Amino acid sequence: MAAAGVAVAWAVHRLLPAVPMLTAAVVLGIAAAHAPGVRTRVRGVGRPGLTLAGKRLMRIGVVLLGLKLGLDDVLGLGWATVAMVVVTVVATFFGTMWLGRRLGLSGDQPLLIATGYSICGASAIGAVSEVSGSDEEDVATSVALVTLCGTLAIAVLPLLHHPLGLDDAQFGRWVGAGVHDVGQVVATAQTAGPTALGEAVLVKLMRVALLAPLVGAVALSVRQRRRTDAAPTGKRPPLVPLFVLGFLAMVAVRTTGVLPGGALDAAQHAQELLLAAALFGLGSAVHLPSLVRTGGRVAALGLCSWVVIAGVSYAGVLLTA
């Protein structure tokens, strides 16, 4: 089922290049979970495989994501831009967490939504959910929200390019610092030309680099919480999960420059296919009636978080121009 979902998502992206394949995969997963004649298989015989795709394939995809990032790329941004990205990520993460608790969202939804908005969308949500042990429905709801907002950014942000007084390079940095998924960043920034696209991808990859320390911090928090629990259940998660070590190892490999361009291109295609399968699996776990019950609060959190990351990153771009 996940493979079929990826094939259809790929076809949608080929027909409509403005729609990233990962976005299409999430939407198709949600549709499959509610389509008559398909939903019974999705929720029944197909559930174990789709859950496997949402977890295991997500880990492998996150590992391969490290091949997009070299340390020389990060250093090439300059310390001012690196500081701007770090401040944007920290402000968005903790601001979203605080707002989510104030809105009374249950479970790990505030943590997952904060992660998705501040780092790299659905990929970051999947990575953090692995160490936090989050409920599958919380994960699916958070992925759906972050994907929706990132998709809206593709249409909204280009309209603000000139009214906000940004040149092409500044617009690219703003998109890279404020849009969630890598594919959505590319789709948004390319509207302003190659200069904007190059800046956007570099800034976005700097945000991706912060995934490893964030996952490590969440794992440490979970370990401490279970250690102080009067009746601990289950084994403690590792301080640094194996797939995060794999991500860092791939960053190191990319930095050495030993891999030829063909190998990097193949790895990128494999990463997109794996993440698409994982996101189809996560999308298929979305239950719209449950989402509607908390939809108002979830949508409010998504809108507020979107305003926070857009505002902080815009200010950062102007200060570092």
Side-chain angles (χ1 to χ4, degrees):
M1 283 186 180
V6 171
V8 177
W10 176 83
V12 170
H13 175 62
R14 294 285 291 180
L15 291 172
L16 301 170
V19 179
M21 185 170 69
L22 302 187
T23 300
V26 174
V27 174
L28 288 168
I30 296 173
H34 297 84
V38 179
R39 60 189 177 195
T40 54
R41 292 182 176 273
V42 169
R43 297 174 185 171
V45 66
R47 191 70 256 149
L50 292 171
T51 299
L52 178 70
K55 292 181 178 292
R56 299 294 178 86
L57 298 187
M58 176 66 77
R59 295 177 190 173
I60 302 173
V62 168
V63 170
L64 293 179
L65 191 61
L67 287 175
K68 287 179 173 287
L69 180 68
L71 294 180
D72 50 341
D73 295 328
V74 175
L75 296 177
L77 289 173
W79 291 110
T81 301
V82 171
M84 180 269 287
V85 172
V86 172
V87 169
T88 299
V89 168
V90 171
T92 304
F93 180 81
F94 287 104
T96 304
M97 284 280 289
W98 180 81
L99 286 169
R101 297 304 182 196
R102 295 280 294 182
L103 289 170
L105 291 182
S106 61
D108 287 335
Q109 281 186 344
L111 169 65
L112 298 173
I113 294 172
T115 301
Y117 272 83
S118 60
I119 303 291
C120 55
S123 303
I125 291 174
V128 167
S129 68
E130 287 294 316
V131 298
S132 63
S134 303
D135 179 76
E136 187 178 20
E137 189 169 330
D138 284 346
V139 177
T141 300
S142 302
V143 166
L145 175 67
V146 172
T147 301
L148 173 62
C149 289
T151 303
L152 291 175
I154 298 173
V156 174
L157 265 59
L159 300 178
L160 301 176
H161 179 182
H162 297 295
L164 290 178
L166 299 173
D167 60 30
D168 289 349
Q170 291 173 327
F171 177 73
R173 289 196 293 272
W174 184 47
V175 170
V179 179
H180 318 315
D181 181 79
V182 176
Q184 294 163 346
V185 167
V186 171
T188 306
Q190 58 87 26
T191 61
T195 299
L197 181 58
E199 293 287 331
V201 171
L202 284 177
V203 172
K204 177 60 189 175
L205 292 180
M206 174 59 202
R207 286 170 64 196
V208 172
L210 297 176
L211 176 62
L214 176 62
V215 172
V218 172
L220 179 61
S221 175
V222 172
R223 283 168 63 94
Q224 291 177 335
R225 186 171 68 243
R226 292 181 179 176
R227 185 182 299 128
T228 57
D229 193 344
T233 57
K235 63 180 181 179
R236 292 183 299 176
L239 183 57
V240 182
L242 185 60
F243 71 90
V244 173
L245 292 177
F247 171 85
L248 294 174
M250 292 301 102
V251 172
V253 170
R254 173 61 186 263
T255 303
T256 64
V258 298
L259 291 180
L264 293 175
D265 290 340
Q268 179 176 341
H269 290 311
Q271 174 241 321
E272 290 178 350
L273 293 174
L274 289 166
L275 289 181
L279 294 178
F280 181 86
L282 289 174
S284 70
V286 173
H287 188 234
L288 290 180
S290 300
L291 182 60
V292 168
R293 286 195 289 271
T294 58
R297 288 176 291 164
V298 170
L301 177 60
L303 178 61
C304 291
S305 185
W306 199 9
V307 171
V308 168
I309 193 170
V312 173
S313 57
Y314 177 67
V317 167
L318 294 182
L319 290 173
T320 57

